[in-house]
Amino acid sequence: MSSRVSRRAKLGLYGALLVLAVPFVFPTWWMVTSSFKPISDIFSWPPSLLPANPQVDAYRQVFELQPFAQQYFNSAYIAAVVTLGTLAVSALAGYAFARIRFRGQNALFLVVLLGLLIPSEVTIVPLFQMFNTLGWVDTHWPLILVPIFGAPSVLATFIMRQFFIALPGELEEAARVDGLGRLATFWRIALPLARPALGAVAIFTFLHSWNLYLEPIVFLSTPEKFTLPQALTQFVDAYGGPMWNIQLAAASLTALPVLAVFVIAQKQFVEGLAHTGLKG
């Protein structure tokens, strides 16, 4: 009897989850299916869940109207470099705040955390002036350096610090007895154990860089140097109106890496965030 009740409870739970998933899944489904429709069918009533006559012309025009392949590469390599740089900076800074005791440590860490409270819109003008002075406007350097040393890196440092605090200190004491220095202990002992936290940091850093919009439209002006979020705004007709099927096709291509990264690494993401709260 109890197994039958348990089975009914599971079926009810799965049914409720399916209903709740509809508002999240349907927009993605509409985006992908509409990219295969002509413009006249996208907003037809009643709406159709599947295209009546699927067409791939929109995907072909995505690469004809814009240097979309180059823009795709720009986003990919910038996101990869930003992710690696943020991992390096946050892992070292987080370990230092967790293990090295010095005067004013907590006050300095509080100052670092205050960087999360400053909106990027507030700093964009002085950053533009600084990079303009250096001659780096209309280059990818601002899109790489600002995230690595800005708010995303601050959040990553917090996550890494919390993870290293939760690690048993006895592991590092044993390493020091064996003659390892601070840096060698970090590299050989602490860093390999921090894979869940590193995975979480890598995922949200990659997604943040991939979806970055404000900084590209401020710093970049050459289409060949655009990233994908900025490139999506360029698919318009001669009157400035949106070319819906082409925009949806480009958006579908843009979303593929994001979905792939999260599906593949969602377990590490959840584990990393869970471990950061073990000890404060």
Side-chain angles (χ1 to χ4, degrees):
M1 183 67 179
S2 60
S3 61
R4 187 177 302 175
V5 174
S6 177
R7 187 178 303 175
R8 290 179 179 177
K10 288 183 178 180
L11 290 176
L13 177 61
Y14 292 153
L17 291 176
L18 286 174
V19 173
L20 292 174
V22 170
F24 301 95
V25 175
F26 181 75
T28 303
W29 176 269
W30 181 85
M31 175 183 70
V32 175
T33 56
S34 296
S35 66
F36 292 98
K37 300 177 182 179
I39 296 180
S40 57
D41 292 347
I42 293 178
F43 298 104
S44 62
W45 187 262
S48 59
L49 295 178
L50 293 173
N53 298 303
Q55 301 178 3
V56 295
D57 290 343
Y59 287 90
R60 176 179 52 81
Q61 295 180 54
V62 164
F63 295 92
E64 292 178 351
L65 298 177
Q66 292 285 330
F68 196 73
Q70 179 63 46
Q71 295 162 348
Y72 214 98
F73 173 77
N74 293 341
S75 284
Y77 101 81
I78 290 174
V81 172
V82 169
T83 300
L84 293 176
T86 301
L87 287 174
V89 171
S90 63
L92 289 169
Y95 183 78
F97 279 118
R99 288 291 189 257
I100 301 176
R101 304 302 176 190
F102 55 90
R103 181 178 298 178
Q105 177 186 19
N106 293 331
L108 179 59
F109 185 66
L110 179 61
V111 172
V112 172
L113 289 181
L114 288 177
L116 292 173
L117 304 179
I118 302 176
S120 58
E121 294 82 2
V122 174
T123 60
I124 195 67
V125 172
L127 284 174
F128 180 85
Q129 293 176 341
M130 180 183 70
F131 286 117
N132 188 42
T133 302
L134 296 173
W136 290 354
V137 172
D138 202 24
T139 70
H140 291 151
W141 282 112
L143 309 185
I144 295 173
L145 296 178
V146 172
I148 291 178
F149 298 102
S153 187
V154 173
L155 180 59
T157 299
F158 173 77
I159 292 176
M160 296 306 301
R161 173 185 178 270
Q162 295 301 106
F163 188 92
F164 286 130
I165 287 177
L167 286 180
E170 292 80 5
L171 296 175
E172 298 179 30
E173 292 176 3
R176 285 193 288 271
V177 170
D178 291 339
L180 292 181
R182 177 74 69 180
L183 187 59
T185 300
F186 164 77
W187 181 255
R188 296 185 182 182
I189 306 297
L191 195 62
L193 294 174
R195 288 179 181 176
L198 291 172
V201 169
I203 291 173
F204 81 71
T205 302
F206 181 88
L207 296 182
H208 177 270
S209 178
W210 187 265
N211 295 322
L212 201 63
Y213 179 71
L214 176 62
E215 285 78 1
I217 65 173
V218 171
F219 292 111
L220 302 179
S221 57
T222 304
E224 288 74 17
K225 297 178 181 179
F226 285 178
T227 56
L228 291 178
Q230 186 179 10
L232 293 177
T233 65
Q234 306 301 308
F235 294 104
V236 294
D237 57 25
Y239 301 99
M243 305 165 68
W244 287 107
N245 56 342
I246 299 177
Q247 283 190 353
L248 292 172
S252 300
L253 293 173
T254 301
L256 287 178
V258 176
L259 294 175
V261 167
F262 189 76
V263 169
I264 294 173
Q266 60 178 330
K267 181 179 179 181
Q268 290 79 1
F269 181 74
V270 174
E271 288 182 355
L273 293 183
H275 278 80
T276 60
L278 292 180
K279 185 188 295 185

